[in-house]
């Protein structure tokens, strides 16, 4: 980041420079001269710029950081794969799902698909959803066991049923009928070893009352993060990926093994439309990783898209969504010594013009998200709402 620039200015400047470089002269001129128009029937917030909809866009794929990291032994990361398919003219949802499949199948990512950290009983239960902007269709699965690529089962729910969400053993039965391979156990040696370590630490021989038990489970998980046994982004951990093509078609997918050591049957935000994912093709998309409960309570991805509809830039809309989460976090057990949330949550946001941003409640270490444009893969800092760390005393 250039010296003297705030993170916010840097991201804005990078996005603007990228847009100018990427959009052919005539399109850039059209955009600047107001080719965008307002969404019919929705008044912008006072003083807000007109909402841009449809029309030529800058193709781009964004994802949580793991979307630029894992390759499953192949040549491309999630965002690179999705971007290359988009510019080849492939369907945007096919592209982003092919991207996240790389991470789902990579056992090194312990937050997604095969090798994802299991629930409290040592069983890997997966959640996923997808939304197709132009088709206005969606599909999801929750608490699915035995399928390495839950995003593809979510896609099958979208393509082959009249429903948006199938859960548990019936989601698995559906997957079997659709021809997916069902495996007995999606643990890897690593995810099983980590689960056993967690089990050992919480001493299951001496069950505490349910509240204390949840507290102990959380505390032990945090301890394992501090000791470097677990990556924070894998304790919670998910991949969200959104993409837009030159025609302005937006699609998105979110897929996860959910919260590590969760109570069996717990479903997070990832498969819930409006929470872990939301797309409105005329406006943009938003998706999330982090504490799903905070997102389920606030339906923040929907909120962020609605704020963009009313004229907000992706970054401002994402920060506004995070403010809502902060305001609605009031239970003592969820607050740190400063009275602020003791968890983290992140949003990845794209608008219909191909502008994007990532924002986070806190930015521990080098917090960033993955982007792929015609310039290739890059990591962009997430904009933090709050200083310090979730566990600050
Ligand atoms: N949001 C996911 C969930 O709550 C987990 C995560 O992204 O870390 O299941």
């Amino acid at each position: 980041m250039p010296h003297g620039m705030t993170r916010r200015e840097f991201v804005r400047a990078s996005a603007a420079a990228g847009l100018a470089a990427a959009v052919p002269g005539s399109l850039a001129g059209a955009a600047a001269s107001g080719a965008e128009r307002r969404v019919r029937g929705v008044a912008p917030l006072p003083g807000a710029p007109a909402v841009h909809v449809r029309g030529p866009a800058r193709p781009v794929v964004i994802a949580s950081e793991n979307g630029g990291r894992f390759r499953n032994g192949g040549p491309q990361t999630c965002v690179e794969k999705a971007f290359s398919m988009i510019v080849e003219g492939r369907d945007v949802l096919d592209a982003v799902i092919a991207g996240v499949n790389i991470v789902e199948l990579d056992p090194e990512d312990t937050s997604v698909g095969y090798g994802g950290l299991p629930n409290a009983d040592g069983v890997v239960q997966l959640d996923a959803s997808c939304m197709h902007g132009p088709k206005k269709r969606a599909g999801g699965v929750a608490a699915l066991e035995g399928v390495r690529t839950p995003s593809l089962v979510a896609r099958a729910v979208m393509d082959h049923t009249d429903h948006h969400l199938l859960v548990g053993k019936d989601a698995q039965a559906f997957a079997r009928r659709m021809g997916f391979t069902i495996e007995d156990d999606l643990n890897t040696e690593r995810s099983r070893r980590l689960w056993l370590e967690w089990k050992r630490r919480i001493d299951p021989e001496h069950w505490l009352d349910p509240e204390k038990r949840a507290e102990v489970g959380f505390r032990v998980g945090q301890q394992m993060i501090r000791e470097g046994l677990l990556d924070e982004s894998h304790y919670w951990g998910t991949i969200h990926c959104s993409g837009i093509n030159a025609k302005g078609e937006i699609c998105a997918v979110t897929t996860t093994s959910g919260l590590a050591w969760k109570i069996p049957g717990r479903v997070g935000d990832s498969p819930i439309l409006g929470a872990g994912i939301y797309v409105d093709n005329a406006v943009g998309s938003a998706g999330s990783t982090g504490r799903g409960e905070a997102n389920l309570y606030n339906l923040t991805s929907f909120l962020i898209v609605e704020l963009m509809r009313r004229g907000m830039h992706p970054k401002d809309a994402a920060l506004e969504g995070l403010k809502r989460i902060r305001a609605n976090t009031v239970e003592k057990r969820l607050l740190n010594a400063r009275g602020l949330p003791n968890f983290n949550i992140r949003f990845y946001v794209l608008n219909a013009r191909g502008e994007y941003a990532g924002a986070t409640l806190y930015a521990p270490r080098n917090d960033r998200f993955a982007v792929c444009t015609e310039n290739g893969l890059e990591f962009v800092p997430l904009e933090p709402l709050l200083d310090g760390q979730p566990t600050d005393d």
Side-chain angles (χ1 to χ4, degrees):
M1 181 165 31
H3 186 65
M5 247 186 178
T6 65
R7 221 178 252 256
R8 178 179 290 232
E9 285 162 344
F10 173 68
V11 176
R12 184 168 288 153
S14 316
L19 186 64
V23 180
S26 56
L27 299 186
S33 69
E36 317 98 10
R37 54 193 166 79
R38 289 183 180 186
V39 177
R40 263 190 220 122
V42 179
L45 293 174
V51 173
H52 38 265
V53 289
R54 293 288 159 88
R58 174 201 193 194
V60 59
V61 175
I62 63 170
S64 41
E65 193 260 0
N66 45 1
R69 185 143 56 104
F70 295 98
R71 296 170 194 272
N72 193 29
Q76 287 180 308
T77 62
C78 162
V79 290
E80 291 169 301
K81 172 81 181 173
F83 186 78
S84 62
M85 286 176 67
I86 285 174
V87 295
E88 279 164 16
R90 306 276 295 276
D91 178 79
V92 179
L93 188 58
D94 287 344
V96 292
I97 289 180
V100 299
N101 288 163
I102 294 171
V103 184
E104 288 177 321
L105 293 170
D106 192 332
E108 288 303 308
D109 189 324
T110 54
S111 73
V112 179
Y114 175 58
L117 292 175
N119 66 19
D121 288 347
V123 177
V124 178
Q125 281 188 334
L126 305 170
D127 298 338
S129 62
C130 62
M131 291 186 78
H132 197 292
K135 290 186 182 164
K136 298 202 179 292
R137 291 186 64 109
V141 286
L144 172 66
E145 296 174 16
V147 182
R148 293 188 182 202
T149 52
S151 63
L152 286 171
V153 186
R155 172 81 201 240
V157 171
M158 179 189 113
D159 283 340
H160 299 287
T161 79
D162 179 38
H163 310 308
H164 286 333
L165 185 60
L166 295 180
V167 306
K169 63 178 175 26
D170 291 316
Q172 189 191 64
F174 168 80
R176 184 180 285 112
R177 286 194 290 272
M178 298 307 297
F180 286 88
T181 302
I182 311 293
E183 296 176 61
D184 280 347
D185 189 357
L186 293 184
N187 276 293
T188 54
E189 210 186 304
R190 182 163 173 225
S191 66
R192 194 188 323 280
R193 183 170 37 77
L194 288 167
W195 173 75
L196 280 170
E197 177 64 16
W198 178 78
K199 239 2 205 181
R200 185 183 66 73
R201 291 186 185 210
I202 65 166
D203 191 5
E205 306 269 308
H206 304 93
W207 291 101
L208 302 170
D209 70 60
E211 211 164 294
K212 290 236 181 67
R213 186 176 162 238
E215 233 177 78
V216 172
F218 181 74
R219 188 159 38 75
V220 166
Q222 296 297 309
Q223 190 183 40
M224 288 171 71
I225 292 169
R226 279 197 297 278
E227 290 175 20
L229 278 171
L230 280 179
D231 189 332
E232 181 260 347
S233 65
H234 291 193
Y235 181 66
W236 289 285
T238 293
I239 182 164
H240 169 79
C241 182
S242 287
I244 183 169
N245 65 12
K247 288 189 271 183
E249 295 172 333
I250 305 170
C251 297
V253 58
T254 302
T255 173
T256 189
S257 52
L259 178 68
W261 337 130
K262 61 195 173 187
I263 293 175
R266 176 267 190 186
V267 171
D269 58 326
S270 304
I272 305 300
L273 309 185
I277 188 169
Y278 201 70
V279 176
D280 184 321
N281 207 56
V283 179
S285 71
S288 178
T289 60
R291 185 180 150 78
E293 282 69 14
N295 199 8
L296 283 166
Y297 190 84
N298 293 285
L299 291 180
T300 327
S301 291
F302 179 75
L303 172 66
I304 289 170
V305 170
E306 290 309 296
L307 291 170
M308 290 198 291
R309 189 192 303 282
R310 290 169 173 266
M312 276 195 187
H313 185 274
K315 184 165 40 188
D316 299 322
L319 288 170
E320 211 45 47
L322 288 166
K323 284 183 197 163
R324 179 72 61 91
I325 289 174
R326 181 185 57 184
N328 280 336
T329 303
V330 297
E331 282 184 74
K332 196 158 177 290
R333 71 188 173 90
L334 296 174
L335 298 172
N336 64 21
R338 295 193 292 156
L340 296 169
N342 62 11
F343 55 85
N344 208 359
I345 184 161
R346 303 172 174 91
F347 290 94
Y348 315 93
V349 186
L350 180 65
N351 72 18
R353 204 162 41 178
E355 296 167 327
Y356 54 82
T360 175
L361 259 187
Y362 301 93
R365 288 161 309 195
N366 177 20
D367 222 8
R368 55 199 195 156
F369 66 109
V371 176
C372 193
T373 61
E374 68 292 339
N375 301 325
L377 167 67
E378 63 175 321
F379 288 100
V380 177
L382 287 155
E383 182 76 17
L385 179 69
L386 303 170
D387 292 333
Q389 303 302 328
T391 48
D392 276 354
D393 292 328

